[in-house]
Amino acid sequence: MIKYGKKAMYGVWLAAMVLAFGITAHAKESGTIKAGVYAESVELSGLTEIQAKAAVEGYIEELQSVEITLIAANNNEVTVTASDLGISWGNPELVTEAIKLGTQGNVIERYTTLKDLEHENKVLDVELQFDVHAINDVLTGKCAKYDQKAVNVSLKRENGQFQVVEGQTGYMLDVETSIDRIYDYLTGEWDGRPCRIALDVMVDEPKGSAEELSEVRDVLGTFTTSYSSSGPDRSANVINGCALINGTTLYPGEEFSAYDAVAPFTVANGYYMAGSYLNGKVVDSLGGGICQVSTTLYNAVLLAELEVTERHNHSMIVTYVEPSADAAIAESSGKDFRFVNNTGHPIYIEGYTNGSKQITFVIYGKETRDSGRSVRYESEVLEVIKPPSDTIYADGSHPIGYVVTESAHIGYKAKLWKIVTENGKEVSRTEVNSSSYKMVPRSATVGTATGDPAAYEQVMAAIGTGSIDHVKAVVAMLTAPPVESNDEE
């Protein structure tokens, strides 16, 4: 009789059990998933690989409609779905793993796996992924609108007196960290049911205090220009732009943009069509005249000795300040006038106009300059470029009688100097800027369309003289009404 050891006897018994269960290397069920296998709550028992994949995809599709509530600034709630956040299935290889259960390894390993499945289900984790770009779009498009910028403690001046206006705490969504917070929760902790996620909201404390602003009392610089020659629309633009800047409180280190303060140039923002410079011509545009506002403020800023960070001269000379003392702003060419409060204290900008068509800016702050020190500015003209003869354009699209003229503009090259005196003695002379203004000759566009060849020849001959005045005289003669005769027969 052959005797077997304990291990051999166990192997014989196990092999018999395997045969009893009908388990072979080529089992009928090898193409389907064994009983007791799940993907999360989705049962995969008896399914082929294609069927199992479809089942899990159906599970993901159900999750797409689950509502997720995001809590933004000031506890405002934004409800979206998992689909809005770009949910997707992150481990489709799960199905292959499920198919292999009970079919991999030797006969004993396969038998053991199947016996385990009889006592306890095998639940495979479905990994979820979310699109960070979709999350970002939801945060910036639907949640960030509840942000509330901090409103600094500020000043207003009424009837010659300053009053403190209390500030307001701001709340700003931190988009980057909120993306991480949403993604980590949904991929690591979410159970697939409706949920609420608090976003990362930063608190933005307002600057300033009543005590700090109480020091704003001294006039650091003031300047006035006249717009008495302006028509009603340009005058209205100057008044409007001045009002938009008036009342600005600027803390140490803060930068002021004249363009940001007065834009946009729309009817809704109080602007009218008026003359402005464009490509060497005077054209009507919304907000024409606004550069007189920025120029007046520029000169007040210079006298206050604030730090100018951006300034541009006009393309052509202006008449309300000396050459190089102007500061143009223009949306089309990206021109702006900017300056920084480089003092150690807040400043307040007061702007006003009066019935005499004068605009004034006053910059208040705390005077720290020596009482014996004074500053002034001088314009130095380096070159005057006078226009040559008239320029005349023949325009066959308009009839004879049409004459539109553009005024000449003298060209200049100039510098602006800052002169500092102490106790009446000049101690420094510094170049502030240099400016170049275009020379533009007087021009006219003259209509030449007519059915009268003789009249056409006369107009063209007049244009050939190069004299706008002569052209006007000829056109006036050709378009004058006929004189009635009073002779009696």
Side-chain angles (χ1 to χ4, degrees):
M1 178 180 294
I2 301 174
K3 294 184 178 181
Y4 297 95
K6 290 183 178 181
K7 289 185 179 180
M9 289 296 293
Y10 175 77
V12 172
W13 173 83
L14 187 59
M17 292 299 294
V18 168
L19 291 173
F21 276 88
I23 303 299
T24 67
H26 301 288
K28 295 180 181 179
E29 298 90 350
S30 62
T32 60
I33 298 173
K34 304 300 182 286
V37 179
Y38 287 76
E40 298 293 351
S41 60
V42 181
E43 184 176 4
L44 304 181
S45 304
L47 301 181
T48 65
E49 184 171 356
I50 293 176
Q51 291 170 334
K53 183 177 180 182
V56 178
E57 288 174 343
Y59 168 71
I60 299 296
E61 187 173 347
E62 290 178 1
L63 290 180
Q64 289 179 348
S65 61
V66 176
E67 291 187 340
I68 298 167
T69 300
L70 306 176
I71 304 172
N74 290 320
N75 293 318
N76 285 287
E77 297 183 356
V78 175
T79 299
V80 297
T81 64
S83 176
D84 295 327
L85 301 177
I87 188 173
S88 63
W89 182 13
N91 61 332
E93 65 275 8
L94 171 150
V95 173
T96 303
E97 180 183 348
I99 286 287
K100 291 179 179 179
L101 285 172
T103 65
Q104 295 287 307
N106 58 39
V107 65
I108 297 174
E109 291 170 340
R110 297 198 302 270
Y111 171 77
T112 302
T113 299
L114 293 178
K115 294 300 291 182
D116 289 343
L117 288 173
E118 289 180 5
H119 295 90
E120 182 178 3
N121 294 331
K122 176 67 173 179
V123 180
L124 302 174
D125 293 331
V126 176
E127 294 180 9
L128 300 178
Q129 289 184 344
F130 291 83
D131 185 348
V132 294
H133 297 292
I135 298 173
N136 179 79
D137 291 343
V138 167
L139 292 178
T140 56
K142 296 184 177 181
C143 301
K145 66 181 181 181
Y146 295 110
D147 287 358
Q148 177 180 300
K149 290 185 178 181
V151 178
N152 293 335
V153 183
S154 62
L155 289 170
K156 66 177 181 180
R157 185 173 171 83
E158 294 181 349
N159 301 319
Q161 299 295 320
F162 282 109
Q163 297 179 23
V164 175
V165 180
E166 291 300 321
Q168 182 175 316
T169 300
Y171 300 93
M172 305 292 290
L173 177 66
D174 189 327
V175 175
E176 293 300 323
T177 58
S178 292
I179 290 175
D180 293 339
R181 180 173 291 191
I182 293 171
Y183 192 91
D184 292 346
Y185 177 81
L186 293 179
T187 57
E189 302 178 44
W190 188 42
D191 60 5
R193 294 183 292 181
C195 63
R196 298 164 62 85
I197 304 175
L199 303 179
D200 193 356
V201 177
M202 301 177 292
V203 177
D204 186 15
E205 296 294 345
K207 291 182 180 180
S209 65
E211 180 181 3
E212 186 178 7
L213 293 176
S214 66
E215 298 182 325
V216 180
R217 291 292 181 267
D218 303 319
V219 175
L220 304 182
T222 180
F223 199 79
T224 300
T225 62
S226 172
Y227 56 97
S228 59
S229 61
S230 299
D233 290 342
R234 186 181 187 279
S235 298
N237 290 338
V238 171
I239 294 169
N240 184 55
C242 180
L244 290 171
I245 294 175
N246 176 48
T248 299
T249 301
L250 205 64
Y251 282 88
E254 288 187 331
E255 185 177 42
F256 177 85
S257 163
Y259 176 81
D260 289 346
V262 300
F265 299 115
T266 61
V267 173
N269 200 30
Y271 290 108
Y272 296 86
M273 297 293 288
S276 61
Y277 290 160
L278 179 65
N279 298 325
K281 292 185 177 182
V282 178
V283 299
D284 279 346
S285 64
L286 278 169
I290 194 65
C291 291
Q292 184 162 356
V293 177
S294 56
T295 291
T296 307
L297 179 60
Y298 173 56
N299 283 270
V301 165
L302 290 177
L303 292 169
E305 296 188 87
L306 303 178
E307 180 187 353
V308 175
T309 52
E310 182 178 352
R311 173 264 173 190
H312 305 271
N313 60 271
H314 287 76
S315 59
M316 297 183 293
I317 200 71
V318 296
T319 59
Y320 42 84
V321 290
E322 295 295 318
S324 271
D326 59 324
I329 58 175
E331 183 175 25
S332 59
S333 56
K335 291 181 178 180
D336 196 0
F337 166 51
R338 292 175 176 268
F339 65 91
V340 171
N341 176 8
N342 58 338
T343 73
H345 306 275
I347 61 172
Y348 176 84
I349 303 173
E350 180 183 36
Y352 57 87
T353 56
N354 59 30
S356 300
K357 287 193 171 184
Q358 291 181 320
I359 173 174
T360 299
F361 279 107
V362 185
I363 297 177
Y364 291 91
K366 182 177 181 180
E367 184 61 83
T368 58
R369 295 172 291 187
D370 190 272
S371 59
R373 184 180 187 279
S374 65
V375 58
R376 61 187 175 86
Y377 294 84
E378 288 185 0
S379 170
E380 179 188 5
V381 175
L382 305 176
E383 184 180 357
V384 177
I385 310 167
K386 294 185 177 181
S389 59
D390 297 342
T391 300
I392 306 174
Y393 305 97
D395 187 348
S397 66
H398 289 92
I400 288 178
Y402 177 87
V403 179
V404 176
T405 60
E406 292 281 348
S407 299
H409 292 270
I410 298 174
Y412 290 90
K413 290 184 179 180
K415 288 184 178 181
L416 189 68
W417 295 91
K418 175 182 179 181
I419 297 98
V420 177
T421 61
E422 293 179 359
N423 300 316
K425 182 180 179 180
E426 182 177 318
V427 294
S428 67
R429 181 178 289 262
T430 308
E431 181 181 327
V432 177
N433 68 57
S434 61
S435 305
S436 180
Y437 304 91
K438 289 182 180 178
M439 175 279 299
V440 179
R442 187 172 68 142
S443 65
T445 301
V446 180
T448 59
T450 178
D452 184 349
Y456 174 80
E457 292 295 335
Q458 290 183 65
V459 170
M460 292 304 295
I463 291 174
T465 66
S467 169
I468 293 175
D469 294 333
H470 181 64
V471 169
K472 287 182 176 180
V474 171
V475 168
M477 177 189 68
L478 291 173
T479 57
V483 178
E484 295 184 3
S485 175
N486 292 322
D487 294 340
E488 294 183 1
E489 294 185 1

